Amino acid sequence: MVKAHIELLGSHTGDSNRSALLFFDEERYLFECGDGTQRLCTEYGVSIATEKLHRVFVSRMDPSSIGGLLGMALTVADSGRKALNIVGPEGLCRFVDESRAFVYRPKMVLDVTEVRADSNQVNVVCEKNYVSIEAVPVTSTFNTSWEPVQSHIEPNPKRSRGALVICYVCKIKDIPGKFDPQKASALGIPRGPLFGKLTKGEKVTLPDGRVITPGQVISPPTPGPIVMIVCCPDVSYIASLISESGLSTNYLNPKMERNVCIIHFSTLSVLSDQRYSSWMASFGGNATHIPLDETVCPMRPVFRGHADAMCKANLTLGETYAPLPKGYIPEEEGDPVLGFLEAIVPGKVVRGDTLLRYRIAPAAAIGVDASQVPSKSIGLDSIKAQVDSNDLLQSELRRTVATDQGEILPNCLREISDKAAELRFLGTAAAIPGKHRNVSAILLNLFHRGCALLDCGEGTYGQMVRALGRTEALEKVVSLLFVWISHMHADHHLGLLHILSKRTSLKAERPLVVIGPSKLRAWLASYSEIIGGDNRMIFIDSAELIEPQQPLASYFPENFGVQLRCCEVIHCPQAYGIVVEDCVNHWKLCYSGDTRPCEELVKIGKNSTIAIHEATLEDGMEQEAEEKAHCTISEALGICEKMNAHRTILTHFSQRYPRIPVIKSSGGRLKRVAVAFDFLRVNFKDLAQLPRTLPLLQAVYPNEAPVISAGM
C-alpha cells in the first residue's frame, strides 16, 4: 500500500448529495450515488469509467443515495466496461431491473448485491487487497406502512423497505512497516539484492551464516485505520444503530490502537441526540468525525466552472437574465454549529466539504487533509476585470439596447405584468451532465398560481437550490402544479424521483400531476412499491393530450388556468412535444422535447409567443443529427420560423459546446433568437430584449470551439 485516502465529493448542502470515494492506487470504491454525483465527478476530474472502480455502495433506497446510479451506469457502459458491481439494501435489484427499459446496455452486466434487514448483523460484502468492507443493516423504529390486503378491507402492517439503511465499515489492512537501510547496514547486510528480499518479507542468510529476518530491519506494521460510513437519517434509527455490535467500539477497535474516521450521514438533530453523541464518544480521542448534511454544512459553490460562467453572465447580461445564483457569498466568521459539535464529542470533528480527504496511508500521513478543498467564494473582482477588459464585449454593450425599434409586440405582451410568467432554465445539456450544463429541465413559474417543470433530468432539484436558494427551491417544489416528461431517455426524467421524495418529506397537500409516456407510469409505480411509500401523484399519459377529450380537456384550465396539448415528435417511441397556453394572460409556449424537425410540432405551436427547441448540434453535422434523431441549429430555427414564433430559445446542446453553441446562421435570422444557458431567467415581460443576449454571449466567448472529445 503506497497511498490511500477517502475523499468527499458531495457534501449534501441541498445542491449536491452526499458521496465519498475510497481511493487506493489500484482500487476505488464509491459510497452513495445520488443525482448529481456524475456531474461532480466530471467537475473534479474523477473518472467513474475506470476499471479501478470496483464497487458502488449505497445506503438507502432514497434518491439522495441512488438518484445518480442509473445515469452513472449508462456512462460506465458507454465507456466499454463489461460490468459494474453495486451493493445496497433490499429493493435495489428490482429497482435496477425495472429500469432496464431505458438503461439498456446489453454488453454490460449490473451485478447487484442486496443486504437484507434479516441477514446476519455483519456482512462482508467486499474483500480485496487493501480493504475488507462490511455492511451493517440499520432499521427505523417507525418502519411500518399500511397496505391493503387482498380483501381490501383490513389493513396489513408491512415493513417499508424504504426504512432500511446500510452502514459500511471499511477495515484497512495493516500498513507495512518501513525498511530501515541504516539498521540493515549496521547488521552487515550489503546493499543490493538482499535489501530487496528483506523488503519483500523474505529472510536472508549472510555469508557468515547469520540469518536475518525482515522484522530485524523493518519497523512493525501500523494497525490499519477504520473508515465508517454511518447513515442515520433521523432519530428513529438511533436505537437500532447503537445496538448493532458491528458498529461498536468493542468489535471494531477494542484496544483503541487503530485510527478511526467516521463519516456521518446524519442531521444535526441526530448528531446532538445524547444517545448518538455518546456512541460517537465511545470511539475515543483517536476518532475523527466528519458530518455530512445540509443542517451542518454551509452552502457554497460546488460546480466551479459554471459558477465562474454565471458570474461572467451576470456582469454582462445583468440580473434580468442572469441573476447570480445562491451560495456565492462566504459564511460569516465563526461557526456555531461546528463549535457545538466539538463541545459534545471527544475526538476531532471536521465538517464535511467537497474534496476534503482523510488520508489512510502512508502511516505518517494519517489524518485530515483540507488542501484540495475549493475556495468558499468566487473571485468576482478578477472576473469583473476580465469582462471590463474585453473590448469586443464592451463595444457590443455600447450598441443600442433595443432589439428592433419597429417591432410590434403580440397583444399578450403589451401590458403583461412581471408576475405573470417566467422561465428558469435549470438544465440545457444533451445526454450527459457537464461542467457548465446540467441535463434537461425548465421551470415555468406562474408566481402566485404555482409552477411547473418541463422535463426533469438528473440533478434538477440541486439546480433549483443553486439557482434559487434552499428556501425558495423547497417552496417551488411544494407549489408544483405539474411535471411534464417528454420521453423516457434518462437525461429527461431521472430527477423526478428526488422531486417526488422532497414533496413527500415536505408533506405537500396537493397531489402532483405527472404527465409523460405510459412507460413512466409503470416505472414510478414500481419505485413506489419498492420503497413502500406514497408519492401522492396523479399520472396522465401524454398520448391523452394529443386530442384531449372531456373531462380531461377542461381539467387543466379549471385547476391551473392553462391548457396543455401534446404531439408525437420524431425521436424515439413515445416521445412528445408540448404546448402550454395561458388562459389568463393568453401567451402560448411550445417546447419540442427531443426531436428531428417535426411538422406536427409546427401545427400545434403555430404563432407561439415562445418556442423552446432542441438544437443539439451545429450546422454541418446533419448526418449525425439524423442518426441521433436530434436537430442542428438551422433545422431548429427553420421549425420555429415555420410556426411563426415571436421568440425562439434554443437549448439541449451537446457537451461539445460547453459554454455557447457554434452558430453559423446570419444575424438577420437571429433577430428573434436566444440561446439558453443553465440558470437563464426569462420573464415574459422582458421578451423584447431577450435576443440581445446572444451577441453579448458571443462577445464573451468569441473563440469558443467544440470540445470534440465530449459526448453528445
Side-chain angles (χ1 to χ4, degrees):
M1 189 188 302
V2 181
K3 290 183 179 179
H5 62 261
I6 187 162
E7 181 175 73
L8 307 183
L9 294 174
S11 55
H12 199 65
T13 54
D15 64 331
S16 64
N17 289 297
R18 292 171 291 226
S19 54
L21 185 71
L22 182 58
F23 176 100
F24 301 94
D25 286 340
E26 299 301 324
E27 301 171 11
R28 311 280 193 277
Y29 305 93
L30 179 66
F31 293 88
E32 302 290 69
C33 194
D35 54 349
T37 301
Q38 184 176 184
R39 191 179 179 199
L40 275 168
C41 291
T42 300
E43 177 75 20
Y44 294 106
V46 177
S47 176
I48 58 172
T50 175
E51 292 288 343
K52 294 180 180 180
L53 180 62
H54 281 257
R55 278 175 175 76
V56 178
F57 300 88
V58 295
S59 61
R60 312 171 61 190
M61 289 305 297
D62 183 86
S64 63
S65 292
I66 63 168
L69 195 58
L70 301 176
M72 180 175 286
L74 287 168
T75 299
V76 170
D78 291 343
S79 74
R81 277 195 62 172
K82 303 300 182 185
L84 180 64
N85 298 302
I86 309 167
V87 180
E90 55 183 308
L92 185 60
C93 283
R94 182 180 172 187
F95 175 72
V96 171
D97 288 341
E98 296 283 358
S99 305
R100 292 189 186 277
F102 57 88
V103 186
Y104 181 68
R105 296 294 188 273
K107 293 184 179 180
M108 188 183 81
V109 175
L110 289 176
D111 185 6
V112 179
T113 300
E114 284 191 354
V115 180
R116 302 178 61 87
D118 54 3
S119 60
N120 294 329
Q121 297 302 299
V122 176
N123 308 269
V124 178
V125 290
C126 179
E127 187 76 47
K128 288 290 183 179
N129 295 331
Y130 302 121
V131 64
S132 173
I133 301 178
E134 299 174 352
V136 183
V138 175
T139 57
S140 168
T141 53
F142 305 107
N143 63 351
T144 57
S145 62
W146 293 91
E147 296 183 2
V149 293
Q150 290 184 352
S151 67
H152 300 289
I153 298 174
E154 297 180 1
N156 177 32
K158 180 179 179 181
R159 183 176 51 78
S160 169
R161 289 178 177 175
L164 175 66
V165 302
I166 310 299
C167 298
Y168 295 98
V169 178
C170 307
K171 295 181 175 179
I172 313 301
K173 304 295 175 67
D174 287 354
I175 302 171
K178 294 185 68 174
F179 177 77
D180 189 336
Q182 292 181 343
K183 192 175 285 188
S185 297
L187 290 171
I189 305 170
R191 291 180 178 273
L194 296 183
F195 272 30
K197 285 187 175 183
L198 288 166
T199 57
K200 292 178 182 177
E202 301 175 17
K203 63 183 180 180
V204 300
T205 303
L206 300 182
D208 60 7
R210 284 182 299 143
V211 176
I212 307 298
T213 62
Q216 292 176 262
V217 292
I218 296 177
S219 62
T222 301
I226 294 172
V227 177
M228 301 170 64
I229 311 293
V230 175
C231 181
C232 190
D234 58 59
V235 294
S236 69
Y237 289 85
I238 294 177
S240 174
L241 187 146
I242 63 178
S243 67
E244 293 293 346
S245 59
L247 299 175
S248 69
T249 308
N250 290 337
Y251 170 73
L252 296 172
N253 197 19
K255 297 180 181 179
M256 293 292 182
E257 61 182 352
R258 300 180 185 275
N259 289 283
V260 179
C261 174
I262 306 178
I263 301 175
H264 300 267
F265 295 170
S266 308
T267 64
L268 184 58
S269 61
V270 169
L271 294 165
S272 58
D273 187 287
Q274 184 177 3
R275 296 169 298 167
Y276 194 87
S277 59
S278 296
W279 172 79
M280 293 170 67
S282 70
F283 287 90
N286 284 340
T288 299
H289 301 276
I290 305 178
L292 272 181
D293 190 77
E294 62 184 346
T295 60
V296 179
C297 304
M299 188 175 168
R300 59 185 55 163
V302 175
F303 297 102
R304 311 288 297 184
H306 182 247
D308 287 347
M310 276 307 301
C311 289
K312 205 169 280 188
N314 176 265
L315 292 168
T316 303
L317 308 178
E319 285 288 313
T320 300
Y321 300 109
L324 200 63
K326 308 302 179 183
Y328 278 43
I329 301 173
E331 68 260 28
E332 298 177 0
E333 290 297 323
D335 191 343
V337 171
L338 192 57
F340 170 73
L341 292 174
E342 289 174 337
I344 63 174
V345 180
K348 189 172 185 179
V349 179
V350 182
R351 189 169 51 192
D353 213 336
T354 297
L355 299 194
L356 182 73
R357 291 178 176 180
Y358 181 87
R359 294 199 175 276
I360 296 166
I366 291 176
V368 173
D369 176 6
S371 62
Q372 304 300 313
V373 174
S375 170
K376 297 178 182 178
S377 60
I378 299 299
L380 285 172
D381 291 340
S382 63
I383 294 174
K384 187 177 187 305
Q386 294 176 32
V387 171
D388 291 343
S389 62
N390 186 328
D391 293 337
L392 180 61
L393 173 59
Q394 295 305 318
S395 174
E396 189 65 45
L397 286 168
R398 285 192 291 270
R399 290 180 54 192
T400 175
V401 176
T403 304
D404 185 348
Q405 297 287 0
E407 184 180 33
I408 300 174
L409 294 177
N411 291 336
C412 64
L413 296 180
R414 290 181 185 176
E415 296 182 1
I416 194 168
S417 164
D418 61 356
K419 298 298 182 184
E422 181 177 278
L423 296 169
R424 185 67 71 98
F425 286 80
L426 301 174
T428 57
I432 59 174
K435 274 191 173 186
H436 299 282
R437 298 183 188 275
N438 201 53
V439 287
S440 297
I442 303 168
L443 181 70
L444 172 60
N445 185 9
L446 301 177
F447 294 93
H448 66 279
R449 289 192 282 165
C451 59
L453 279 168
L454 305 179
D455 277 331
C456 190
E458 178 188 335
T460 293
Y461 175 70
Q463 291 286 87
M464 291 175 71
V465 173
R466 277 186 289 280
L468 307 171
R470 290 178 186 168
T471 301
E472 188 176 347
L474 292 173
E475 290 173 354
K476 290 291 185 288
V477 167
V478 172
S479 70
L480 277 171
L481 305 173
F482 64 89
V483 177
W484 179 79
I485 303 298
S486 59
H487 61 291
M488 284 298 289
H489 283 167
D491 57 319
H492 290 259
H493 76 273
L494 284 184
L496 184 54
L497 294 184
H498 205 159
I499 295 294
L500 290 169
S501 175
K502 280 293 177 186
R503 285 179 58 85
T504 299
S505 66
L506 295 167
K507 296 179 171 57
E509 295 182 3
R510 178 172 50 202
L512 180 63
V513 176
V514 176
I515 309 156
S518 58
K519 293 179 181 178
L520 180 63
R521 183 206 303 259
W523 183 66
L524 291 174
S526 68
Y527 178 72
S528 183
E529 290 179 7
I530 290 168
I531 64 172
D534 177 14
N535 285 327
R536 291 183 56 77
M537 177 188 70
I538 297 171
F539 189 90
I540 297 175
D541 192 328
S542 292
E544 298 180 42
L545 294 175
I546 292 178
E547 294 290 345
Q549 306 295 315
Q550 293 294 347
L552 189 58
S554 58
Y555 176 83
F556 289 98
E558 290 176 358
N559 288 277
F560 306 142
V562 295
Q563 179 66 64
L564 305 185
R565 187 175 178 189
C566 294
C567 74
E568 287 195 76
V569 293
I570 307 165
H571 184 61
C572 66
Q574 295 189 8
Y576 298 90
I578 190 172
V579 163
V580 182
E581 293 189 72
D582 188 13
C583 305
V584 178
N585 298 292
H586 309 295
W587 47 260
K588 182 176 182 180
L589 171 69
C590 178
Y591 171 47
S592 68
D594 285 6
T595 184
R596 291 289 296 148
C598 178
E599 291 299 325
E600 286 300 315
L601 190 69
V602 173
K603 290 179 184 177
I604 69 168
K606 201 70 176 176
N607 298 320
S608 288
T609 313
I610 302 176
I612 304 171
H613 204 288
E614 75 118 286
T616 307
L617 295 163
E618 65 189 279
D619 295 349
M621 299 189 69
E622 285 76 14
Q623 181 176 347
E624 188 168 358
E626 187 168 354
E627 290 171 356
K628 300 288 187 180
H630 287 299
C631 281
T632 63
I633 297 282
S634 285
E635 288 172 333
L637 292 177
I639 289 298
C640 296
E641 287 166 358
K642 275 188 176 183
M643 69 173 66
N644 191 35
H646 173 66
R647 290 288 180 264
T648 293
I649 305 176
L650 302 179
T651 189
H652 197 267
F653 302 115
S654 165
Q655 293 292 359
R656 292 168 53 90
Y657 319 108
R659 295 178 183 85
I660 187 170
V662 175
I663 299 179
K664 301 172 183 176
S665 300
S666 64
R669 194 179 188 189
L670 301 176
K671 66 180 183 179
R672 295 184 174 187
V673 177
V675 297
F677 53 86
D678 283 20
F679 300 170
L680 168 67
R681 179 171 68 185
V682 181
N683 192 289
F684 285 28
K685 189 175 180 62
D686 300 319
L687 281 175
Q689 306 304 323
L690 178 63
R692 283 289 297 143
T693 62
L694 177 54
L696 291 174
L697 290 174
Q698 289 173 319
V700 171
Y701 303 109
N703 301 313
E704 188 80 357
V707 180
I708 304 302
S709 61
M712 199 181 76

